[in-house]
Amino acid sequence: MAVNRLGLVVHGGRAEAVQAADVVRAWCARYDVQCTDIDVWHDGGRRSAREEVAAAGDPDLVVTLGGDGTFLRGARLAAENDALVLGVDLGRVGFLTEVSAASVRAALDAVREDRFEPDTRMLLTLRASRRLEMPPDVESLMRYGRGPLLPPPAVRSDCVVDDEWGVPLHVTALNDVVLEKLARDRQVSVGVYVSGRLLASYSADALLVATPTGSTAYSFAAGGPVVSPRAEALVFTPVAPHMTFNRSVVTAPDEPVGLRVLERSGRAAVSIDGQVRGVLEPGDWIGVYAAQRRLRAVRLGPMDFYGRLRDRMNLTDAPAAVADGTPTPFWSVTTPPPGDMAHLSLVTAPDGAAPQA
């Protein structure tokens, strides 16, 4: 792939990220690639994704240097421009990032030489009963511990505003959309709809809709299921609900999830991939659904999602089970599968050897 313009998103608080950024800039200088730092603080505030990518000259590759949070910031920009995103892992969890800092130069070479596969991920978008706003008093409250806030999302000009279907917001979420309470002493009360039909009314700390990619983020912490990033689904999860039914609900990608703040509820904040973007009043609603566009991430080899899940979540084996013997790979990963299994996707280690348990 020809890389002409590269956008760089750096976690400035990590020395190794700053060092890796120098490696990326040197690579760009060698191949005469325009390199621009983007998604940085400006005058105590934040710019929209469109403003940031425009200032960077509309990059065709976005490289993130940090953890999954930094990757999410880069993904927001890449999705805006339909650019590729390459995540360099310098964090503690690393479900989204692809390569280590030591491999960043080799990864850039692989992209330039077309030795990669694009990994497409579902994105979420929104419609709402009205345009989201951030009241000044709430902005001051939510700013604590979060840094400067992103601006409320604009209304999308490419879609029709409809009284029945609401206002289309300019939103792309890779992980999740969350409706959360503002006051510590008062939960948010929300009616939850699936495909336009009422599912249940909840009183909870928060309610969220996640992508398969986001199933290992906030949804997982709230007790939601782990979903393969290759799946096509929306995952609805209540957070600390005051009701017996506290399970997640997994819907099809063409089954939108609606969240309406009930009349006697307190105000609720709308967060998109962890960033507060506006506040809803009682009677307001948002509808979360799969976006038409998808994120394109650089994948240099087969993704062992379940091996990564085991490592990142520290899934140690039960002592009693370990005492009964060490498990070996269930099926061969070094020889081709037989004909009746040829259509299956089995993880293969990069060097052809069996992956380590």
Side-chain angles (χ1 to χ4, degrees), residues 92-297:
R92 295 185 294 270
V93 180
F95 266 105
L96 302 176
T97 47
E98 171 68 1
V99 300
S100 66
S103 304
V104 63
R105 185 181 287 105
L108 291 170
D109 288 338
V111 173
R112 182 173 179 270
E113 297 165 9
D114 278 326
R115 292 184 287 106
F116 73 97
E117 292 291 334
D119 178 19
T120 62
R121 298 292 182 96
M122 175 188 288
L123 297 169
L124 300 176
T125 191
L126 291 179
R127 278 182 175 259
S129 54
R130 61 174 175 82
R131 183 170 181 165
L132 293 186
E133 298 176 345
M134 186 71 73
D137 59 327
V138 178
E139 182 178 9
S140 176
L141 173 66
M142 301 306 292
R143 185 185 296 270
Y144 179 76
R146 295 175 183 259
L149 298 173
L150 284 167
V155 175
R156 282 163 47 202
S157 59
D158 59 330
C159 294
V160 175
V161 176
D162 186 278
D163 290 340
E164 297 292 331
W165 292 89
V167 176
L169 299 180
H170 197 100
V171 166
T172 52
L174 176 60
N175 265 357
D176 49 43
V177 175
V178 180
L179 201 60
E180 57 186 320
K181 68 180 184 179
L182 285 175
R184 293 186 60 189
D185 61 347
R186 187 174 186 182
Q187 291 191 312
V188 63
S189 296
V190 178
V192 177
Y193 300 75
V194 177
S195 288
R197 304 292 292 177
L198 179 65
L199 171 69
S201 296
Y202 290 82
S203 178
D205 282 357
L207 303 107
L208 64 90
V209 182
T211 63
T213 297
S215 70
T216 53
Y218 191 5
S219 179
F220 177 84
V226 173
V227 181
S228 167
R230 297 179 59 188
E232 296 288 315
L234 277 67
V235 182
F236 163 73
T237 302
V239 181
H242 277 205
M243 61 187 298
T244 303
F245 185 73
N246 60 356
R247 300 293 191 267
S248 297
V249 176
V250 181
T251 76
D254 62 349
E255 296 177 326
V257 178
L259 306 173
R260 182 187 296 274
V261 183
L262 300 181
E263 286 73 11
R264 297 186 179 182
S265 172
R267 292 189 296 179
V270 179
S271 295
I272 300 163
D273 282 346
Q275 295 280 350
V276 178
R277 302 296 298 275
V279 172
L280 295 183
E281 302 287 342
D284 291 334
W285 58 264
I286 58 173
V288 185
Y289 55 101
Q292 291 185 336
R293 75 171 97 180
R294 300 174 69 89
L295 179 72
R296 297 188 303 129

